[in-house]
Amino acid sequence: MSESMDRRRFIKISSTFLGGLAFTAPLLSNSIGNMIVPNPESRISGLRTPTYCEVCFWKCAGWVEHDESGNIKKIIGNDEDQHSNGRFCPRGTGGVGMYNDGDRLKNPLIRTTINGKQEYREASWEEALNYIADKLKAISEKYGPDCIALLTHGSGGSYFGNLLKAIGSRNIAAPSYAQCRGPREVAFIGTFGEGIGSPERTDIRDTRCLVLIGSHIGENMHNGHVQEMSDAIDKGAQIITVDPRFSTAASKSNFWLPIKPATDMALLLAWIHEIIYNEMYDKKYVDKYTFGFDQLKEHVKDMTPEWAYGITTIKPDQIRETARAMANASPSVIIHPGRHVTWYGDDTQRLRAVAILNALLGSWGRRGGFYNPEKAYLPKYKLPEYPKSTRSWRDAFPGQFKLADLALASGICDATIPSVDDKCSFKAWIVNGTNLITTLPDQKNTLKAIQSLELLVVVDTMPMEITGYADVVLPECTYLERYDSIRVSGHRNPQIALRMPAAEPKYNSKSAWWMARELGLKMGLGAYFPFKTQEEELDWQLKNMDSSLEEMKRIGVKTFPREFDDLYIDENDNFEFNTNTGKIELYSTSFEEEGHSPLPVYTAHDEPPEGFYRLNYGRAPMHTFGRTSNNPNLADLMDENSVWVNPKVARDWDLKNNQYIWLENQDGIRSSFPIKVRVTERIRFDSVYMVHGFGHDSKKLTQAHGRGASDSELISKVLLDPIMGGTGMRGNFVTFKFKAANMEKNT
Amino acid sequence: MRYGMAIDALKCVGCSDCVVACQTENNVPIGYCRDWIVEKTTGTYPQLQMEIRSERCNHCSNAPCVRSCPTSASHYGKGGIVLVDENACIGCKACIASCPYDARFIHPEGYVDKCTFCLHRVEKGQDPACVAVCPTKCMYFGDLDDPRSEVSQIMKKRKWKTLIPEAGTSPNIFYLI
C-alpha cells in the first residue's frame, strides 16, 4: 500500500527527456509553437471554416476566419445558429487563445521513476497507447471490465464512451451532472416527466417576467440566454433576482431580493402559498394538467410571507409584490431553474419547488415560459452489440440515489476508494477534458481515490492539475484542430452544426476520435470502430440526414423543420406528461415511491460560526471554470479573482481594497495562494464571493499559476443530496488569514 | 456625415466581448486594449444601483488630442472619426496627456494607438467589431447626421448622457440611461 501511495506523487509535468530523439522533440515543438501551421484544406475551401465552440458547453456555431495564407485570424458567430445568433461571447471570440497557448500539452507522457524520483518522459503515441491498452486488458482480465471508468466533459466523451462500452463497462460519468445540473433534471423529470436539457428550454426571448434565483445570467455567459435577456429587457419584461449578492442581473432587475443565503426554499414555498391562497394560479391549466393540487395547498398552508420573512429576511410586502408580478405575467413567466444548482444537499427538492411554481403559473409548454425543444435525428452506424456490463457504480450505493438518471462522477470517485465489502473498486480511470482536482469537491477524497487506482489516463489540451497525477498523459488537439461529432442539441428548431479543423494539430497532439479508435484497435475491438477516418463517419451520418460533409463544410449550420410537436402545448390537446399519473405532478408519486418527500420541505441549513462567512462562488463572463484561466486572450481580460467583502466586514477585519489575504475554511484548510480583497457593497455581510477557476497550482500553467485563490480547495464539506447524489458545495465557511499556512508554521 | 455610437447601459452586462473582439479584429497586442469596461456602483446594501459601460475613444468633434498633436498625426478622418497616422506619430504623448477619457496608449511599436471605429469595416458597410459581436446588442453605430439611422432613432427615443461633458470636447459616444 505504501508503495502504491508513493507511486503516484504529484508531478508538475516536468518531463525528463530520454534518448536523442526525445531530446530533440521539445526543441522542435517549441519552434513549431511560434509558427502557425495553416491547414492546407482551408486554403482550398476559401477563407473561413465552420466550427462550434468548445470553450464552454453552450457550443455556439461559428466561423473561423483565415487570412490569405490560411492562418487563423478570428472566430465569429454563424448567423444561422440558434445558440449564438451570429454573436460569439468573449470566450468564443477569444477561443483562438486556446490554440495559441504555449503551455499546451505537446507530447504523450508516461510516468517513470529515475533514480528514485518520479518523472514524466515523453513517449511516442505508439508506446503510450500500447502501454494503456496492455494495462486496460490486464485490469479487465483481473477485475472485470466494469472496474474501468470514464470521467469526461466535452466532445471527446462520446468516442471514449464507445471504447469503454466496447471493453464492457458502462461506468461513464460527467461532473456536469452530480456537481452541477443534476438536481434540476431530476426535479423537472419528477414534475413534468422531462428534464431541462442544454441549452435550457427557457423562452426568455418572449417572457414577460424572468425570475433568477442565484442564477447570474450575464456573469454566467450562457450566450443565447444573455442575448434573450437583453431582448426581454427591450420588450419591457420584469426581472426579479434573488441573490445575496448584487449581481449584474440584479442591477438590471425591477426587483432584487437580497436573500439570506441558504434560505431560498422558504421564499419559494411562500411564493407558492401566496399564489395558491390568493388564487393567482392558472386555474384552467392546473385543473387540466396537474396532479396533487389539494395536497400541495394543504402542505403550504402555514408558509406565509410572514413565516418566510423570519427565515429569508425578505420583507413580506416584497414577497407579495413579486408573487403578483409573476402572476400578472402568467403564463409568460419563467422561474429559471438555473444550471449549477448543487448548493445545500436539498437541491432536488428546491428545484421541485421551482418546477411547481412554474406549473402553477402555467408556464411549462407556453410562449414566454418553457418551449418544447426538438433535436435533429443523428443516424448511428450499427455497431456489434456491446458486451453486457454486470456491475455498476450504483452497486457501491445500495438503495441510494435511485432517481439519478445519469452516473455520478463523485459516486465513481467514492466507489474507487476500496472498502471491505466492495466487489469491484474502480481500478482504472480515463479522464477526458475535466480537471477532477477542482471539479469534484473534497480534494482529499479525490486524491485518496486516485491513489487507489492502478491506471490513470488523462486526456487534455493543457497541463491541468489532474495531469500531474496521471500514469499516462495524452495531449489532445484543440477544437480548432479537429472534427467532432455533429452538434444536435435540442432547440426551437432541429438544427445541426459541424466542427472541422481550421488548422493542422499543433505539436504532437491528436483528436479524441483518433485516440479512442487506436486504443480500440490495439485491444482487438476494431469492430466497434468501423470508419477509417472521421470524415468518412461524418459523411455517412450527414448523407443519411439529407446533407453531406461537403454541404456542411460550406454552410456550417443546417436547420430542419420541426417534425413532432409544436413549440408550445396546444391548449386543445390532451397533452400527456411522461409521469406516473400522466399529469404534471405537483405531488410527486415517483419521489414518494422512493421514500422521498413528495412535496418540497424547508430545512434550515448550518450558518457560519462567528468570524466565518459563507463561501459563495460563481462565474465571470470571460472565463469557463478553470479551463480558460491560462488562455492568453482571456487572461488579458481577467487574470485573477478577488474575494468580495462587504464594507462592514472589511471594517471589522481592517481589510483594505486590493490587499492580499488568505482564506481558511471551517476544516482549517487555507488557500494555497493569497487572494485580493474587493471591498464592495455588492455582497451581504454574512457571505463572501469569489469567481471559480483561479488559484491553479500547476506550475506548467505559466499564466494562471498562483493567480488568485481556488474556491475548490476550500470546499471540503459536501452536503449530499439523498435523492440523486448531487454534491452540495455551498455549506462551506471561510475566515480571513494574513499569512500563508507554511509561514505560520515557521514563526 | 458624423459617425457616432450609442451604448445602452441598461443592457450591457460588462462581459468584455467588445474588448476581445476589438483585440482580435485589430491585432491589438495582448496587454493593450482600445476599448474597456467600467462598472460604477452607488448606494449602500441593499439600496444599490450599478451602471456598466463599454468605453473607448469618444471621437470628439472638438478633440483635444487633434489640437495638441505637433505633427498632425492625430486628425479627423471620414465622418469625423479621430485617427492617428502611425507614420507621422513621433510618440510624444501630448495627445495622451490631453485626452480626458484616457483612450490612447503607446503601441509597443512606438506610435500612439486607439479606437478607429473599425474604419476598415465601416468602409465596407459593416459595423465596428465591438458592435457586431455584442451579445446583448447594446451598441448602435451610424451617422448621427442622418435622422433615419438606427443610432439617431434610438437617441430620439431614449434619455442619454455623454462622459465628462464639462471638458467641452463634444464627444460622439452616447450612453443610453
Side-chain angles (χ1 to χ4, degrees), chain A residues 1 16 72 92 107 212 274 439 474 563 580 636 648 690:
Chain A
M1 194 61 203
T16 304
I72 294 179
N107 288 290
L212 302 172
E274 200 54 19
T439 48
L474 301 178
E563 266 182 50
N580 288 338
D636 194 30
K648 287 194 191 88
M690 61 201 277

Side-chain angles (χ1 to χ4, degrees), chain A residues 143 203 222 370-371 377 421 519 681 713 744:
Chain A
Y143 307 102
D203 204 11
H222 300 171
F370 294 77
Y371 61 77
Y377 169 71
D421 50 348
L519 280 171
E681 290 286 353
E713 68 178 339
E744 205 144 272

Side-chain angles (χ1 to χ4, degrees), chain A residues 73-74 87-90 93-94 96 218 221 223 226-227 230-231 233-234 243-244 246-248 251-252 256 258 621-622 632-633 636-637 646 678 681-684, chain B residues 8-17 19-21 23-25 27 30-32 39 41 43-46 48-50 52 121 131-137 140:
Chain A
K73 188 171 159 17
K74 61 178 178 181
R87 289 165 182 258
F88 264 27
C89 87
T93 307
V96 67
M221 198 62 217
N223 194 353
V226 175
Q227 298 189 19
S230 184
D231 293 344
I233 291 172
D234 259 348
D243 204 312
F246 190 62
S247 61
T248 299
S251 77
K252 312 280 178 202
W256 170 43
M622 60 293 278
N633 296 74
D636 194 30
L637 303 176
N646 183 282
R678 176 181 179 182
E681 290 286 353
R682 292 179 59 194
I683 183 82
R684 251 178 92 105
Chain B
D8 192 343
L10 300 184
K11 292 205 293 181
C12 174
V13 295
C15 71
S16 303
D17 204 1
V19 181
V20 65
Q23 287 170 325
T24 54
E25 177 71 33
N27 294 317
I30 283 177
Y32 299 84
E39 177 200 303
T41 310
T44 314
Y45 194 98
L48 296 170
Q49 293 84 41
M50 181 163 70
I52 307 174
R121 290 174 59 97
V131 177
V133 80
C134 177
T136 67
K137 286 175 260 169
Y140 305 85

Side-chain angles (χ1 to χ4, degrees), chain B residues 59-107:
Chain B
H59 296 280
C60 307
S61 295
N62 181 20
C65 54
V66 173
R67 273 184 280 124
S68 67
C69 179
T71 65
S72 300
S74 282
H75 64 282
Y76 299 106
K78 186 185 170 191
I81 298 180
V82 176
L83 298 168
V84 179
D85 177 349
E86 57 192 63
N87 296 318
C89 175
I90 54 170
C92 74
K93 303 184 191 171
C95 57
I96 294 180
S98 73
C99 174
Y101 306 106
D102 204 11
R104 297 172 159 242
F105 60 93
I106 299 272
H107 190 282

Side-chain angles (χ1 to χ4, degrees), chain A residues 70 80 86 183 192 328 331 346 365 397 505 515-516 543 602 633 660 700 722:
Chain A
E80 177 74 10
F192 299 103
N328 287 341
D346 59 351
F397 308 95
M515 290 181 228
K543 283 196 172 130
Y602 167 73
N633 296 74
Y660 281 91
K700 280 286 163 176

Side-chain angles (χ1 to χ4, degrees), chain A residues 616-638:
Chain A
N616 279 333
Y617 53 84
R619 307 280 301 278
M622 60 293 278
H623 284 292
T624 304
F625 323 136
R627 67 192 299 186
T628 52
S629 36
N630 205 69
N631 175 318
N633 296 74
L634 301 179
D636 194 30
L637 303 176
M638 177 182 181

